[in-house]
Amino acid sequence: MTEVTTLPDWTAIAPALALLGTAFVLLLADMIDPDDSNGTALTGISVTGGLVALGFALWYLLAGTGQPGASQEPTEGAIELFGDALVVDGMSLFFSVIITSVVVLVALASHEYLREHPYQAEYYSLVLLASTGMVMVTAANSFVTAFISIELVSLPSYALVASLKTNEGSVEGGLKYFLIGALSSAIFAYGIALVYVATGSLQFGAVEIAIADGVGFDSLLGLGMLMILGGIAFKIAAVPFHFWAPDAYEGAPAPISAFISSASKAAGFVLGFRVFVDVFGTATGVFDWVDAFLILSIVTMTIANFTALKQDNVKRILAYSSVAHAGYILIALAAFTGSVEGEISILGAGMAHLFVYGFMNTGAFLFIALAEYWDVGRTVEDYHGLGNRAPFACAAMTVFLFSLAGLPIGGGFFSKFYLLFATVTGGQELLGAALIINSVVSLFYYTRIVRAIWIEEPGEDLEPGEYPTGLYAAIAVAALATILLIPAFGFVIEYAEIAARMIGG
Amino acid sequence: MAVEPGWYLLLSAAVFCIGLFGVLVRRNALVFLMSIELMINAANINLVAFALVYGNITGQTFVLFLIALAAAEVAVGIGIILALNRNFESIDVTDAVTMRW
């Protein structure tokens, strides 16, 4: 590196610090003015904090922080902090960009959605604390920091899902999310303990070395890996750990459904990539996690898509669609071969798909937030004729849905195409075929929503209500990003492959 | 060392299984929380015992974090269970089933 001045190393976690600081500022603002029912200041603080964090993450990513310099090997250059407990590299910054973008959209969209909500400052600060946890997960380099960060994501999320305290659906969703989440975090903790029993350390690099040297307790290590896989599968809502997802998403306030289904899933995946590819990459002989992910991936996408077909509630359709997308992205882990080049293209494709998914899925859930704001109802029939009333938002929803299906109207087409391409070149035709078949199936239910919006006649006269500025702005930004990701996809995949090279290479 | 490490593994596996059994068969949300605590403490037994075997303090340090996190989890959980009780007038986890599939 030939830079004249470099920032001190600790500034590498500035995105997380910015989010954490914003959460404290929100609590302080609430302390000073507790009766403030005017949410504009709180939204402003949250959006500003999210933008600052996004700015830091983008700046670092583009400036090459934590990435290999010109004279270094592609796997070098990561900044390690706190005795290697945290690592800031291309992958953590790439995922920080995804997470902070989703936070900005969600905070912006919550403004009108929360107009009657009595605990707005708490709501926003919980969102920001959860996103601090997510950004920390991307940088976790030890099972200790990974577990603490995952809990920092989970605990505020439980509270946020149940935050409509007098609404039965919200509390029920929150309870189911909490019960299954607490169970899976206990299993995750036990898995970590077994890995410690087998290897004697918790830092990722040290565990990797211990596994490479051979461990005495192979069966315990294998069991520990299986339990860690369970904990991660819960975070990304993969079958058979997906049962909480439709209920939690349906009961939660719609911006929170967007937040959990996009950002929380990205955080789960980044941990999955780092733990399995980087740490357990050589332990496939102990427990064949590649085959486990292969089964998980195919079963997840198939069950989710076929269950989505028979749903009537739009939010549940999108919930199952988000479970199905977890299956698509799991291809990146299921197609692990051990060969460096194939590895980088498949991991890069998975990360790029998460990037695009962050925008299109958030956008789709924010459209539901808009529909809930207008009280149009929750089933597909209730959406009949919405296109006449809100043509712009409905056009954006059409872009999100077709992009989720993988039609060339948004970035989702390219990311699915890269996933498919990588499975074929990697000799994983089975996964490729499952991806194609499932995308075709998914087109049925996405088209059903689009048809309800545009073609069906409205059952009764819809009164054009007011047009919420924040929600509209968030939907517009998400739609713009989804469309712009078509020309910009080369750029995304380039950074995704740099990120993949840091762990896979 | 007075006790073979294998016995600690057996103890912790037993505690873990008792916790898992409680999670699967009990319907009271508070008993569910206690069962989760048992499962986390099973992990703690392993970590503490093998910190002694390996002679490093990594495991013991992690146990302190796990205890704190378990307490935080219970705090959030009891909040949700209170809200459950207000809305459904029971803390039976099988009562809150208005949403299915």
Side-chain angles (χ1 to χ4, degrees), chain B residues 79-99:
Chain B
I80 292 175
I81 292 171
L82 268 179
L84 177 78
N85 192 33
R86 287 196 188 131
N87 281 286
F88 292 90
E89 266 140 35
S90 96
I91 54 169
D92 187 331
V93 292
T94 55
D95 275 357
V97 283
T98 58
M99 297 182 281

Side-chain angles (χ1 to χ4, degrees), chain A residues 96-249:
Chain A
S96 301
V97 170
I98 303 177
I99 290 161
T100 47
S101 311
V102 174
V103 173
V104 171
L105 292 175
V106 167
L108 191 59
S110 299
H111 179 47
E112 283 90 3
Y113 193 89
L114 288 182
R115 64 201 186 287
E116 314 269 285
H117 198 287
Y119 302 106
Q120 299 198 11
E122 287 83 350
Y123 171 97
Y124 284 116
S125 51
L126 285 175
V127 168
L128 283 154
L129 285 172
S131 44
T132 310
M134 292 169 190
V135 172
M136 298 299 281
V137 172
T138 68
N141 198 30
S142 138
F143 281 111
V144 181
T145 39
F147 189 79
I148 296 170
S149 322
I150 283 283
E151 287 293 286
L152 183 55
V153 180
S154 299
L155 297 180
S157 304
Y158 305 146
L160 282 169
V161 170
S163 62
L164 307 175
K165 288 196 295 182
T166 51
N167 178 317
E168 284 198 356
S170 175
V171 172
E172 181 187 333
L175 178 79
K176 288 179 176 169
Y177 189 24
F178 170 75
L179 294 180
I180 301 179
L183 178 62
S184 76
S185 73
I187 292 175
F188 189 44
Y190 200 75
I192 292 173
L194 287 180
V195 169
Y196 179 73
V197 166
T199 62
S201 49
L202 289 168
Q203 202 271 332
F204 286 169
V207 173
E208 191 185 351
I209 292 168
I211 291 173
D213 289 348
V215 295
F217 304 95
D218 262 2
S219 51
L220 289 180
L221 178 66
L223 190 59
M225 285 163 68
L226 181 65
M227 289 178 150
I228 290 173
L229 188 150
I232 290 172
F234 159 76
K235 267 321 304 164
I236 61 179
V239 173
F241 302 94
H242 72 293
F243 289 104
W244 60 273
D247 293 340
Y249 295 171

Side-chain angles (χ1 to χ4, degrees), chain A residues 407-490:
Chain A
L407 297 182
I409 194 171
F413 169 71
F414 283 110
S415 54
K416 262 193 191 165
F417 180 77
Y418 265 78
L419 270 176
L420 184 63
F421 186 71
T423 54
V424 174
T425 50
Q428 299 277 357
E429 285 82 4
L430 179 64
L431 281 168
L435 176 64
I436 294 177
I437 294 168
N438 276 290
S439 297
V440 172
V441 172
S442 73
L443 203 53
F444 282 102
Y445 56 81
Y446 291 130
T447 314
R448 191 169 156 223
I449 304 176
V450 172
R451 185 185 144 84
I453 291 173
W454 291 110
I455 296 175
E456 301 285 347
E457 290 298 317
E460 55 196 83
D461 282 340
L462 290 165
E463 286 295 314
E466 47 177 323
Y467 292 93
T469 330
L471 256 173
Y472 255 79
I475 291 175
V477 171
L480 196 65
T482 307
I483 295 172
L484 282 182
L485 279 171
I486 298 178
F489 193 74

